Amino acid sequence: MNIKRHKNIVIFIAIAIILMSFFGFKKEKIFFIVYTHKSFLNECIKNQTYEKASKIIGIKKITPYSLRNKEKFVDFYCSGSGLVPNSVYYGFYYISNDRPLGFQAQSVEFKSDGDGWRWEEKWENPNSDNWMYTEKITDNWYYYEAGF
């Protein structure tokens, strides 16, 4: 194989990887973050040292929420797209009781959807387009997509 052709293939692959990092594959990236850093993330939850976890590439913001019965909910926002009022948020969360919970720790009625659960506000309010999908990654850790 000549060097010029090999160089073009390498450039093409590099461009494809860069494009994939900006578009799509959000779910897979988030699952990868949790699986790769699970022990460290669990330690941060246990010690409430969330700022340490913010150094993980792909995590943009971490927000803990207070729940009843001393339950813990910590939101790890990773990315978003769109402009208000049509924005979609992607991330994952930790929930100590290992039950899916709505965006930013809101209690919502989920319905089973594929490998996860879906909530749509239009079920209660036909004029709304708010929605959320969540899926279990591993014990206590859940992926989410939320649109508003």
Side-chain angles (χ1 to χ4, degrees):
M1 179 188 300
N2 72 37
I3 293 177
K4 186 176 179 180
R5 181 179 169 141
H6 181 64
K7 183 179 174 184
N8 287 340
I9 291 171
V10 170
I11 290 171
F12 174 78
I13 291 171
I15 290 170
I17 290 170
I18 290 168
L19 288 173
M20 284 190 292
S21 72
F22 287 110
F23 307 104
F25 300 108
K26 289 172 178 54
K27 180 178 170 182
E28 290 82 1
K29 280 192 235 175
I30 290 169
F31 271 63
F32 181 77
I33 289 169
V34 174
Y35 283 131
T36 304
H37 301 284
K38 182 180 173 190
S39 295
F40 177 67
L41 288 166
N42 282 330
E43 179 185 314
C44 292
I45 294 292
K46 179 182 175 188
N47 299 326
Q48 297 183 14
T49 53
Y50 311 121
E51 70 282 351
K52 287 183 178 182
S54 68
K55 302 211 183 332
I56 296 172
I57 294 173
I59 297 175
K60 293 186 178 175
K61 184 178 177 185
I62 301 171
T63 308
Y65 292 86
S66 298
L67 302 176
R68 290 187 263 148
N69 302 325
K70 298 184 181 182
E71 295 289 338
K72 289 184 183 179
F73 180 96
V74 183
D75 177 53
F76 295 80
Y77 169 73
C78 295
S79 68
S81 61
L83 301 171
V84 175
N86 294 317
S87 299
V88 179
Y89 303 92
Y90 301 92
F92 61 97
Y93 59 92
Y94 171 90
I95 180 73
S96 57
N97 68 10
D98 200 18
R99 293 188 184 130
L101 197 56
F103 187 67
Q104 298 180 336
Q106 296 299 308
S107 181
V108 297
E109 269 311 302
F110 284 111
K111 293 182 182 179
S112 184
D113 182 14
D115 292 330
W117 301 269
R118 177 171 297 280
W119 164 81
E120 294 185 22
E121 192 172 32
K122 70 180 176 184
W123 297 335
E124 296 97 30
N125 176 1
N127 296 322
S128 177
D129 62 353
N130 298 338
W131 60 273
M132 179 182 175
Y133 173 80
T134 191
E135 186 174 320
K136 187 170 186 168
I137 300 171
T138 187
D139 290 346
N140 304 97
W141 294 96
Y142 290 79
Y143 164 80
Y144 74 80
E145 302 172 11
F148 301 95

